Amino acid sequence: MAELTAKTPCAGLLPISAGRVTVTEVDPGPMTAIAPFKGKEKTLAGALDRAHGLGGPAPGQTRVKGHVRILWFGHAHALLVGVAPKPTLARHAALTDQGDAWAVVQVEGAEARDVLARLTPLDLRDAVFAVDATARTELAHMQAAITRVGAQAWQMMVFRSMATTLVHDLDAAMRGVAARR
Amino acid sequence: MRIPCPICGNRDSREFDYMGHALTLDRPAPDAGLGAWDDYLHNRENPAGPTRDLWFHGLGCGAWLVVSRDTVTHEVFGAELARDVTGGRA
Ligand SMILES: [Zn+2]
């Protein structure tokens, strides 16, 4: 039988750095979309807490416990990252495996916010987008999810098929910011 | 132009798709007759002033919104989830 080698979405593309910004690929582990059945939002939050020690995230928020993270991921659904969901959750929500479907990168550094400001209309100021805030938004014309994971660090997700475009646009923005220092 | 998504907050209009006048939420009964269906499918007002449209937050949370705005001043008065406007009916 053929031996298949798993490749990450950004294999051969990352890491890159320019100026005071670095982009690295993130291996998120398992990712599962969790969409509560009608009227099950409350019982799902309890089930999530019992199963993974994390409740349902409010819009625009993430909850973190150890290496497990749950992101608000849009209208009436969330994304569980870093662990496979316990089967008990299926009584309250539709569970959809999203592993391998997304490219996940971390943009980090003193000028990371200036780079992102060239690519997304999202308001990234501290007062609006604090650490652990998350948003679904536009990133260089792509559907994206952006999560702030540190004072100068943001994780960005786009569909896996767009990984090369993501890295290309980040690279151009990084060089533009660096050139104007 | 910014649209105040009830879920995401104020967002740039480039995150949204315009999906036509909100009257499409008021679908006629199947037996309402050809006149009512013709009107529903094809005839639209072209208001100079306040109007209500559907907008899809496709590069955001994915919700459909009913947005109230003014076509003359471009003022956006507010937005509601289409689901709340229709009470969940399709
Ligand atoms: Zn939204």
Side-chain angles (χ1 to χ4, degrees):
Chain A
M1 199 166 134
E3 288 286 322
L4 300 178
T5 307
K7 281 178 73 178
T8 62
C10 299
L13 301 171
L14 294 177
I16 56 173
S17 58
R20 290 185 280 178
V21 183
T22 302
V23 183
T24 50
E25 180 162 26
V26 175
D27 179 359
M31 290 194 284
T32 308
I34 300 178
F37 298 131
K38 198 170 184 178
K40 294 276 189 179
E41 293 83 359
K42 282 227 171 67
T43 60
L44 171 66
L48 269 169
D49 196 27
R50 287 190 297 278
H52 299 290
L54 292 160
Q61 293 300 314
T62 63
R63 288 166 181 249
V64 185
K65 184 156 190 186
H67 67 287
V68 179
R69 178 179 283 268
I70 189 163
L71 317 181
W72 173 85
F73 210 54
H75 185 37
H77 72 293
L79 189 74
L80 182 67
V81 180
V83 69
K86 292 244 173 85
T88 51
L89 299 180
R91 290 204 289 269
H92 310 274
L95 308 179
T96 310
D97 183 1
Q98 300 273 321
D100 297 326
W102 294 84
V104 188
V105 306
Q106 181 151 327
V107 182
E108 192 161 10
E111 289 166 337
R113 181 162 24 203
D114 300 328
V115 169
L116 295 192
R118 287 177 173 237
L119 299 172
T120 175
L122 192 66
D123 189 343
L124 295 165
R125 292 173 298 168
D126 287 337
V128 182
F129 206 69
V131 173
D132 286 336
T134 192
R136 297 298 303 267
T137 186
E138 185 220 331
L139 188 79
H141 311 288
M142 295 177 283
Q143 268 190 334
I146 299 180
T147 304
R148 189 170 183 187
V149 295
Q152 296 184 333
W154 288 262
Q155 276 188 11
M156 269 128 53
M157 303 172 58
V158 300
F159 297 136
R160 181 186 184 120
S161 59
M162 298 174 184
T164 305
T165 303
L166 172 67
V167 173
H168 169 84
D169 285 321
L170 278 169
D171 183 56
M174 287 160 65
R175 284 187 287 112
V177 169
R180 282 160 186 78
R181 271 233 303 273
Chain B
M1 185 171 125
R2 290 185 150 243
I3 292 176
C5 175
I7 296 173
C8 304
N10 261 321
R11 291 296 185 88
D12 192 280
S13 64
R14 84 186 82 162
E15 291 187 1
F16 299 84
D17 291 306
Y18 176 74
M19 306 302 283
H21 195 277
L23 65 76
T24 47
L25 296 175
D26 300 317
R27 185 190 292 260
D31 57 358
L34 287 178
W37 273 99
D38 180 55
D39 207 33
Y40 173 74
L41 287 174
H42 302 297
N43 296 329
R44 296 290 179 270
E45 302 294 330
N46 185 20
T51 189
R52 291 170 82 240
D53 323 298
L54 291 171
W55 291 76
F56 172 52
H57 199 184
L59 288 173
C61 65
W64 285 64
L65 310 181
V66 176
V67 176
S68 305
R69 66 187 179 100
D70 191 305
T71 60
V72 175
T73 64
H74 303 302
E75 183 177 0
V76 175
F77 304 117
E80 309 164 81
L81 293 179
R83 183 180 68 177
D84 294 344
V85 173
T86 62
R89 74 183 149 75

